[in-house]
Amino acid sequence: MAFENRVDVEHPVHDIRTEAIKFFEEKGFPTKKDEAWKYTSLKTLLKNDYSVFPKEESALEFKDVKKYFIHDIDSYKIVFIDGIYSSHLSQTSHEGLDVCLMSSALSKPKYQLIIENYFNKIAKTDDSLTSLNTAFSREGAFINIPKGKVVDKPIQIIHLATGKESSIMLQPRSLVVVGENAHVQIIERHQSLTDNPVLTNAVTEIFTHKRGIVDYYKIQNDNPNASLIDNTYISQQQNSHASVHTFSFGGKITRNNLQFVHKGEHINSTLKGITITEDKQHVDHSTLVHHATPNCESHQDYKGIYSDSSTGVFNGRIIVEKEAQKTNGFQQSNNILIDDKATINAKPQLEIFADDVKCSHGCTIGQLDEEALFYLQSRGIPKKEARALLMYAFANNVLESVKIPEVKTRINKLIAMKLGVKVGFDL
Amino acid sequence: MLKIENLHASIDDKEILRGINLEVKPGEVHAIMGPNGSGKSTLSSVIAGNEDFEVTDGKISFLEEDIAELAPEERAHKGIFLSFQYPVEIPGVSVTNFMKTAINESRRAQGLEDMPANEMLKKIREKSELLEIDRKFLSRSLNQGFSGGEKKRNEIFQMAMLEPKLAILDETDSGLDIDALRIVSDGVNRLKSKDNAVVVITHYQRLLEYIVPDYVHVLLNGRIVKSGGKELALELEEKGYDWIKQEVAV
């Protein structure tokens, strides 16, 4: 099971896994009694009897899943079907960088040092879902960008679920190491191809060395029966820049645990998100930026638009240690509730122990501006399109920092689709 | 073209318009003047279809059709345009994209194809030159960070693009310096024809030196209490509104 067939029991990962299993067995799945899960219940998801490993490998043709890729750019691709690597759909590389699989990184001697240095080093060991992943994960993406390498094209990590099993639980585990002065852009997507329930419990660890740059884009537009618990841990060294943009439009329950730890000065961390939900969808952003060193900055900007009886959570935590003087930590969460039954629970948490810092948080919950709506309608724009235009305008500044134009275009299209309009905002 | 009979309208059960009668024919320019709180902006909002206001009595027809039940966009599609006193800022949507959306939505409503891109660009160029609008301005987010004058000029630019049959200019002169006032009025005058009409709502006579009205109406407490020619505006400028209030009281 899991890495067992590839990793001998002497391998350090074996001990890590054993510990993780033990922890999960003790702790179990989080419940609403846990403070961090007060507003997100996994109860309905855990009723399903999930297959943990698919019975058979499945093949897919690119043309059938093309729309889930950003297909109008050249890119490296690491594609998984029901948790199993698809060499047919992937385009990996070992030339000047490693864009490959966790299973191979864990089994090949040449990666042993990297695994020893990075694997499970920032993933929280006292988090039950992360432990569950550590224990049972069998595959994921392994990305190693050596010193000074500016990766020429983005890397897409795509997880597809075929629905061949009546319900499936996936545990992808990825590791990204960005060397000094290296630069990489990553696009990630989880996509179920049917209405059969899927529960993904993903863990990604990202290490950015001195002056390294990583831009990570998460496109979450899954089917109504697919749920995702995403645990992304980022460790940054001095002068590095890391940004994560999370676009949450689909899925049943989506939980984003996004944590940044600073290990040097002059670090820049950016966390941005656009959430648009409907029906009974639930999206939870739980962020943590841990300022442990001086002269660093973090920027959080999340926009949420909630319709019908959908629910949202924004739990944004900033910790500024005593040593972290001259920290600039900004956090913003703006939300629009379209319908009376929609709910958002927003909870900014600033824990500041240094005295010379600039930190701010702003949280707003409101409705669409009726005056603005009338203005647009009076110009001949129908109500539905006018509402969409206002929602787009509300969320737009999150898109400004997206550095890949094709990603921006795709997000624009997904937003228009989600809002049910044909207005081309990005004409 | 526009015919308003005994119009009563209220907001939150408070009656603002108390029996307005007004008829505007093609080719005419009407000015509506009156002190603060007399109902000027309410009248323009109600004509444009703002759903915040409830029409409790009377009739509004446009081109012989009762429009009281129509949504604001449907009125716009029929050719009614309202230039706002306080245009709304829409971040992330450029002036150009906004105009394209507005024009094509109107065309779709009329069963027409979208306007071809080159035709659209040509029109945008022509109309922006008319209003002396800089190209860079067109790629900025709609009204965001615009000065008062830029906002108003942009309103008239939109009017030029949409070519309405009836344009209602609500306090278009407020916040304009003398140069901007000239540009805006020139724009309005050049868009005037025997087939369209303009209703100018203003506090001051100043704008009416540039956009010369055929009729001036004085609105007081939700009613038109006096109508006359353009000389009435001059009289109001000189004497204020008190004499009319007294006249009405008598």
Side-chain angles (χ1 to χ4, degrees):
Chain A
M1 194 149 102
F3 297 130
E4 206 78 329
N5 53 352
R6 299 186 186 88
V7 181
D8 71 74
V9 291
E10 300 302 316
H11 198 286
V13 171
H14 179 76
D15 291 341
I16 292 172
R17 284 191 49 234
T18 312
E19 284 292 307
I21 292 171
K22 226 170 89 190
F23 185 82
F24 182 75
E25 277 174 351
E26 273 170 32
K27 198 82 192 294
F29 284 97
T31 67
K32 291 183 98 168
K33 285 180 190 152
D34 296 282
E35 185 61 28
W37 291 83
K38 199 172 167 186
Y39 300 109
T40 298
S41 170
L42 298 177
K43 224 168 161 181
T44 56
L45 299 184
L46 300 176
K47 280 183 197 149
N48 293 312
D49 185 17
Y50 295 102
S51 321
V52 180
F53 300 115
K55 290 178 196 79
E56 53 180 315
E57 288 194 20
S58 302
L60 291 168
E61 285 309 313
F62 182 67
K63 65 173 172 50
D64 298 325
V65 290
K66 186 179 166 188
K67 64 178 176 182
Y68 304 120
F69 292 75
I70 307 290
H71 53 75
D72 39 7
I73 45 170
D74 192 14
S75 65
Y76 297 107
K77 298 175 192 74
I78 314 173
V79 184
F80 304 95
I81 301 172
D82 295 331
I84 299 172
Y85 173 63
S86 163
S87 61
H88 180 59
L89 295 178
S90 298
Q91 192 190 332
T92 57
S93 176
H94 290 290
E95 288 168 32
L97 78 174
D98 294 299
V99 179
C100 60
L101 302 178
M102 261 318 260
S103 58
S104 80
L106 285 164
S107 59
K108 287 182 185 162
K110 66 170 175 173
Y111 297 119
Q112 195 182 336
L113 200 61
I114 293 181
I115 294 299
E116 276 173 23
N117 287 339
Y118 300 103
F119 184 80
N120 214 45
K121 286 293 180 282
I122 40 167
K124 275 184 79 181
T125 50
D126 59 350
D127 178 85
S128 67
L129 288 161
T130 300
S131 299
L132 181 69
N133 176 286
T134 305
F136 292 104
S137 161
R138 67 187 329 201
E139 196 54 286
F142 175 75
I143 296 167
N144 179 33
I145 315 295
K147 197 172 165 178
K149 172 82 182 174
V150 176
V151 185
D152 55 338
K153 53 191 181 187
I155 299 167
Q156 302 197 54
I157 306 171
I158 314 280
H159 302 272
L160 299 165
T162 60
K164 279 191 183 158
E165 308 283 333
S166 61
S167 64
I168 192 167
M169 184 166 184
L170 301 170
Q171 309 266 3
R173 176 68 172 238
S174 298
L175 176 61
V176 179
V177 181
V178 183
E180 276 184 40
N181 295 312
H183 182 185
V184 64
Q185 297 177 314
I186 299 169
I187 301 158
E188 175 199 278
R189 187 159 182 172
H190 300 266
Q191 187 64 47
S192 166
L193 304 177
T194 68
D195 285 332
N196 282 350
V198 180
L199 174 58
T200 302
N201 176 41
V203 172
T204 303
E205 292 179 281
I206 301 170
F207 294 83
T208 311
H209 288 265
K210 286 180 195 170
R211 296 176 296 278
I213 305 173
V214 57
D215 298 312
Y216 209 108
Y217 302 98
K218 292 173 183 285
I219 303 175
Q220 301 172 342
N221 190 37
D222 216 336
N223 278 341
N225 280 330
S227 293
L228 170 68
I229 301 158
D230 182 279
N231 306 280
T232 298
Y233 300 94
I234 301 180
S235 169
Q236 292 184 255
Q237 289 194 5
Q238 68 181 66
N239 294 91
S240 65
H241 284 238
S243 73
V244 176
H245 288 75
T246 308
F247 301 104
S248 312
F249 305 141
K252 183 179 182 155
I253 293 177
T254 305
R255 161 82 174 217
N256 288 294
N257 292 320
L258 180 56
Q259 307 203 348
F260 284 70
V261 178
H262 288 178
K263 301 204 162 153
E265 297 194 27
H266 305 290
I267 288 165
N268 192 313
S269 306
T270 301
L271 304 78
K272 294 196 176 190
I274 298 177
T275 304
I276 305 176
T277 59
E278 60 192 349
D279 297 331
K280 289 183 174 169
Q281 281 183 271
H282 179 86
V283 175
D284 177 340
H285 293 286
S286 288
T287 66
L288 167 64
V289 180
H290 193 148
H291 285 275
T293 46
N295 297 308
C296 295
E297 53 188 278
S298 62
H299 301 269
Q300 299 189 53
D301 190 357
Y302 284 83
K303 308 288 184 205
I305 300 169
Y306 303 88
S307 300
D308 303 328
S309 53
S310 64
T311 48
V313 179
F314 177 77
N315 206 336
R317 204 167 155 209
I318 300 176
I319 301 174
V320 182
E321 299 275 5
K322 204 174 167 188
E323 295 74 29
Q325 298 294 356
K326 307 274 183 201
T327 289
N328 285 331
F330 303 109
Q331 182 189 89
Q332 203 166 326
S333 161
N334 306 107
N335 304 283
I336 291 182
L337 300 178
I338 301 292
D339 296 292
D340 292 345
K341 284 183 182 160
T343 316
I344 167 83
N345 289 292
K347 188 177 163 196
Q349 297 179 73
L350 272 60
E351 296 161 36
I352 301 169
F353 302 101
D355 49 19
D356 185 13
V357 300
K358 270 188 216 154
C359 283
S360 70
H361 69 91
C363 178
T364 62
I365 298 169
Q367 268 106 33
L368 280 184
D369 179 354
E370 293 291 328
E371 176 74 10
L373 201 58
F374 173 53
Y375 182 70
L376 299 183
Q377 284 180 274
S378 81
R379 298 299 186 257
I381 300 173
K383 195 166 191 171
K384 189 177 170 193
E385 280 72 17
R387 289 169 71 103
L389 204 62
L390 289 179
M391 292 184 217
Y392 174 79
F394 165 77
N396 179 267
N397 63 339
V398 166
L399 284 175
E400 281 171 13
S401 47
V402 172
K403 291 178 198 157
I404 306 172
E406 290 81 0
V407 169
K408 204 183 272 189
T409 306
R410 176 64 63 88
I411 299 300
N412 274 325
K413 280 188 184 152
L414 289 176
I415 292 176
M417 253 165 65
K418 183 81 186 174
L419 300 178
V421 293
K422 287 205 179 89
V423 179
F425 300 117
D426 53 330
L427 290 164
Chain B
M1 177 181 272
L2 176 72
K3 199 167 181 195
I4 297 175
E5 293 164 87
N6 189 34
L7 182 69
H8 290 252
S10 42
I11 185 164
D12 303 332
D13 291 330
K14 189 176 172 236
E15 189 168 59
I16 312 282
L17 302 182
R18 305 156 188 242
I20 300 266
N21 292 291
L22 179 68
E23 185 170 4
V24 180
K25 295 197 177 89
E28 292 179 348
V29 177
H30 290 244
I32 296 176
M33 302 183 75
N36 280 333
S38 58
K40 301 192 298 294
S41 284
T42 301
L43 177 61
S44 60
S45 286
V46 170
I47 298 171
N50 190 336
E51 285 153 11
D52 287 349
F53 297 94
E54 195 191 346
V55 173
T56 52
D57 199 5
K59 266 181 78 176
I60 308 181
S61 61
F62 183 66
L63 301 172
E64 316 278 298
E65 188 193 343
D66 185 349
I67 58 165
E69 297 298 320
L70 296 186
E73 63 269 26
E74 294 172 306
R75 299 183 197 209
H77 298 159
K78 291 195 178 301
I80 295 176
F81 177 88
L82 170 62
S83 168
F84 277 52
Q85 183 177 2
Y86 303 108
V88 177
E89 300 190 0
I90 316 278
V93 179
S94 72
V95 176
T96 304
N97 284 346
F98 177 67
M99 255 7 280
K100 283 181 188 169
T101 306
I103 285 183
N104 284 331
E105 289 294 346
S106 284
R107 290 175 66 101
R108 279 175 210 170
Q110 289 156 31
L112 297 170
E113 295 280 308
D114 283 3
M115 185 181 277
N118 56 349
E119 202 180 310
M120 181 78 75
L121 287 174
K122 189 167 162 253
K123 188 166 184 172
I124 288 174
R125 197 170 51 236
E126 276 174 20
K127 303 299 181 185
S128 57
E129 278 167 12
L130 179 71
L131 274 304
E132 299 179 29
I133 285 173
D134 195 305
R135 252 161 188 268
K136 275 182 240 151
F137 184 87
L138 298 171
S139 54
R140 283 171 60 187
S141 287
L142 185 64
N143 293 323
Q144 199 182 25
F146 286 18
S147 70
E150 284 173 332
K151 281 181 182 169
K152 295 301 173 68
R153 210 188 292 186
N154 183 38
E155 290 291 281
I156 304 304
F157 166 67
Q158 292 180 39
M159 171 185 156
M161 289 294 294
L162 294 165
E163 299 175 345
K165 294 191 180 80
L166 173 70
I168 305 160
L169 311 182
D170 188 5
E171 307 266 356
T172 296
D173 50 337
S174 68
L176 290 189
D177 62 29
I178 198 76
D179 290 331
L181 187 68
R182 181 187 50 77
I183 293 166
V184 163
S185 328
D186 275 0
V188 173
N189 287 331
R190 285 161 73 175
L191 296 167
K192 276 265 343 88
S193 78
K194 63 177 181 20
D195 301 317
N196 60 27
V198 180
V199 174
V200 181
I201 291 174
T202 182
H203 264 298
Y204 307 106
Q205 194 268 338
R206 189 175 73 148
L207 178 65
L208 304 179
E209 285 174 14
Y210 296 89
I211 304 171
V212 182
D214 301 301
Y215 302 94
V216 174
H217 310 278
V218 180
L219 195 61
L220 209 62
N221 282 328
R223 287 192 193 93
I224 290 176
V225 294
K226 197 173 179 70
S227 297
K230 61 183 175 200
E231 65 286 345
L232 178 57
L234 286 168
E235 203 173 345
L236 287 168
E237 182 81 0
E238 198 182 316
K239 303 194 328 209
Y241 290 102
D242 285 346
W243 66 278
I244 294 190
K245 285 180 191 164
Q246 281 158 17
E247 214 176 87
V248 172
V250 174

